[in-house]
Amino acid sequence: MKISLPFSNKNYVFSSSYLFFFFAAWSLWWSFYAIWLKNNIGVTGSDLGTIYSINQFTSITFMIIYGVIQDKLGIRKHLMWVISIILIATGPFLIYVYEPLLKSNFIVGVILGSVLFSLGYLSACGLIDSYVEKISRKFGFEYGQARLWGCLGYAAAAAIGGLFFSINPHFNFWAVSLVGILFFITNICYKPAKALKRKEVQDKSDSYNSITLNDFVIIFKNPKFWGLVVFILGTWSFYNIYDQQLFPVFFANLFSDPKVGASVYGQLNSVQVILEALGMACIPLLINRIGPKYSLLLGGIIMTCRILGSAVFEDVYIISFIKMLHAIEVPLFVISIFKYNAANFDKRLSATLFLVGFQIATSVGIIILSIPIGMLFDKVGYHTIFFIISCIVIISLAIGLFTLSDKKPTIH
């Protein structure tokens, strides 16, 4: 089946630009954040854990706020102005505020940083995704085909950022502000209101001004919503613990020199993100054919194969291949979540549904499960913990087979 990117659609071009510049700006500093904190600022392992925990908790609060506000705004771009200003301010903040405070008044620096990072990045990531998804439904293109530019932006910036970081991390921070200016220009040029007026027919159900508190209450009373949340907790949350906390060290330790392993892991990440971008463009065709429910289950099966593969094999080439499966399951999960929500819930609340039902559910799951999984790992090691996680995911898939709705979204 032919894949074509709708460059003739200006809404697609602007949406892709939002994603490209946002993820490029994020990658320029976030890819090197932990290294910078450890090697340049000199924080301890305990301090590093404190920073990430506070960032995570703060981001959850802003995810809820962002979701509700953007659903009320529809495709109006008020929150994009907030993000663009934060992107531009990131460089000066990191250099002249955050870095000195971490050295002189650690807690104040961490709290201020968590607010800015949550508003501009950690919570804004889901906001940008849900904003573009709203535009894609409104103006007739696949969200995944725009999201691929976010993957490419992240990969390109990580490669360039690595060169900058080896010279001076401050170069990375100033580069973030420069990319933020490009994001700001994109927001100036995009005129969604004019684009709406040119549409011949506007679905009355997309009247965002009519959204009330009761509309949100109805969603949270819906058993389908909580069924989806439970499914996410049992699959995506456990997978993220495996992928972010366990697998990188596991992979590095496959090499006689862990530093070489870390270097190879970084190279694999770059290849993976590029393949993920390709998946974002192609996989919507599969999801439209088999439906979001079975796409989520397929993503879970691939996820299980990767975790089980890590438990069974130790050959570095096989494990490297297994890591590439991440490039398939991420598009399957992220795109299917949007399509599942569009099929089963009020489309006007897509931002809240994505941020609360997917991102916050994942974050809460990670916060709750990380410590017990870590304690269990200390006792049983990598292979046993990988078997345990894969069994939990398999059970969640079996439950999802009977509890998830197989309704497909209407394609206009």
Side-chain angles (χ1 to χ4, degrees):
M1 192 174 293
K2 184 179 178 181
I3 302 292
S4 60
L5 302 181
F7 290 111
S8 60
N9 187 333
K10 291 184 178 180
N11 298 283
Y12 170 79
V13 173
F14 279 110
S15 296
S16 300
S17 299
Y18 276 126
L19 289 164
F20 184 90
F21 292 135
F22 173 79
F23 281 98
W26 193 9
S27 176
L28 280 166
W29 73 277
W30 184 253
S31 299
F32 312 96
Y33 182 51
I35 300 173
W36 175 69
L37 289 171
K38 288 283 290 182
N39 297 344
N40 295 83
I41 305 300
V43 302
T44 65
S46 176
D47 289 340
L48 191 63
T50 299
I51 291 171
Y52 273 92
S53 295
I54 293 178
N55 286 347
Q56 191 76 58
F57 277 110
T58 307
S59 68
I60 289 175
T61 301
F62 287 114
M63 284 179 195
I64 298 172
I65 295 172
Y66 270 162
V68 173
I69 293 176
Q70 191 60 57
D71 282 333
K72 290 289 288 183
L73 291 172
I75 63 170
R76 286 175 288 179
K77 57 183 186 178
H78 298 58
L79 291 179
M80 298 304 107
W81 290 117
V82 175
I83 294 174
S84 64
I85 292 171
I86 294 175
L87 294 183
I88 294 172
T90 297
F93 174 80
L94 286 169
I95 296 170
Y96 300 116
V97 179
Y98 192 57
E99 183 174 328
L101 279 175
L102 288 180
K103 294 178 179 179
S104 63
N105 198 327
F106 180 76
I107 293 299
V108 173
V110 171
I111 293 173
L112 285 178
S114 70
V115 173
L116 184 132
F117 301 154
S118 295
L119 280 171
Y121 300 94
L122 301 175
S123 303
C125 172
L127 172 64
I128 292 284
D129 278 330
S130 59
Y131 180 67
V132 170
E133 191 271 340
K134 286 179 183 290
I135 296 172
S136 71
R137 281 190 287 106
K138 181 71 70 175
F139 296 107
F141 62 88
E142 283 288 352
Y143 155 78
Q145 293 181 347
R147 184 60 172 77
L148 76 89
W149 293 101
C151 297
L152 293 177
Y154 197 96
I160 296 171
L163 299 175
F164 288 167
F165 193 82
S166 64
I167 302 171
N168 188 333
H170 288 185
F171 290 172
N172 294 66
F173 304 155
W174 286 121
V176 174
S177 294
L178 290 176
V179 176
I181 292 173
L182 297 176
F183 187 97
F184 185 84
I185 293 172
T186 299
N187 206 40
I188 291 176
C189 296
Y190 185 42
K191 308 293 182 183
K194 290 184 179 180
L196 268 180
K197 290 179 181 178
R198 288 194 294 267
K199 281 187 62 132
E200 294 181 359
V201 179
Q202 181 179 351
D203 190 343
K204 292 182 180 179
S205 68
D206 287 341
S207 177
Y208 295 98
N209 290 327
S210 65
I211 293 178
T212 65
L213 178 62
N214 188 56
D215 293 317
F216 293 100
V217 172
I218 290 174
I219 290 294
F220 292 116
K221 287 183 177 179
N222 191 331
K224 287 184 180 179
F225 173 77
W226 293 110
L228 178 63
V229 168
V230 171
F231 177 79
I232 294 301
L233 288 171
T235 54
W236 194 247
S237 292
F238 277 97
Y239 173 75
N240 270 271
I241 293 173
Y242 154 82
D243 186 58
Q244 296 176 11
Q245 298 181 31
L246 300 175
F247 184 81
V249 180
F250 166 73
F251 183 86
N253 287 339
L254 295 176
F255 294 77
S256 57
D257 184 353
K259 290 183 178 179
V260 175
S263 176
V264 174
Y265 183 77
Q267 296 170 20
L268 283 176
N269 267 338
S270 298
V271 175
Q272 172 199 298
V273 173
I274 294 172
L275 292 177
E276 188 178 317
L278 181 62
M280 287 290 181
C282 301
I283 284 177
L285 299 175
L286 173 64
I287 297 174
N288 288 338
R289 179 174 292 275
I290 67 176
K293 171 184 175 177
Y294 294 103
S295 297
L296 286 170
L297 294 174
L298 177 60
I301 292 170
I302 295 172
M303 174 190 302
T304 305
C305 291
R306 184 182 168 194
I307 302 171
L308 274 176
S310 300
V312 173
F313 299 104
E314 287 191 347
D315 181 85
V316 68
Y317 294 102
I318 295 177
I319 297 298
S320 297
F321 172 77
I322 288 173
K323 177 170 171 51
M324 293 300 104
L325 295 176
H326 185 85
I328 302 175
E329 66 197 39
V330 169
L332 275 171
F333 256 83
V334 174
I335 298 173
S336 296
I337 286 293
F338 278 120
K339 290 184 179 291
Y340 186 91
N341 289 340
N344 292 280
F345 310 112
D346 191 336
K347 296 182 180 68
R348 298 173 303 167
L349 308 182
S350 59
T352 300
L353 287 165
F354 181 71
L355 286 162
V356 176
F358 183 65
Q359 290 211 319
I360 291 181
T362 301
S363 297
V364 170
I366 292 172
I367 291 170
I368 294 173
L369 298 170
S370 289
I371 293 177
I373 289 291
M375 293 171 64
L376 186 59
F377 164 75
D378 289 336
K379 294 182 178 180
V380 301
Y382 284 110
H383 295 287
T384 302
I385 199 67
F386 289 163
F387 271 118
I388 293 172
I389 292 176
S390 61
C391 288
I392 294 171
V393 173
I394 290 171
I395 293 171
S396 300
L397 289 174
I399 295 173
L401 179 64
F402 296 102
T403 58
L404 293 177
S405 168
D406 58 3
K407 187 176 180 182
K408 295 183 180 181
T410 303
I411 302 176
H412 297 287

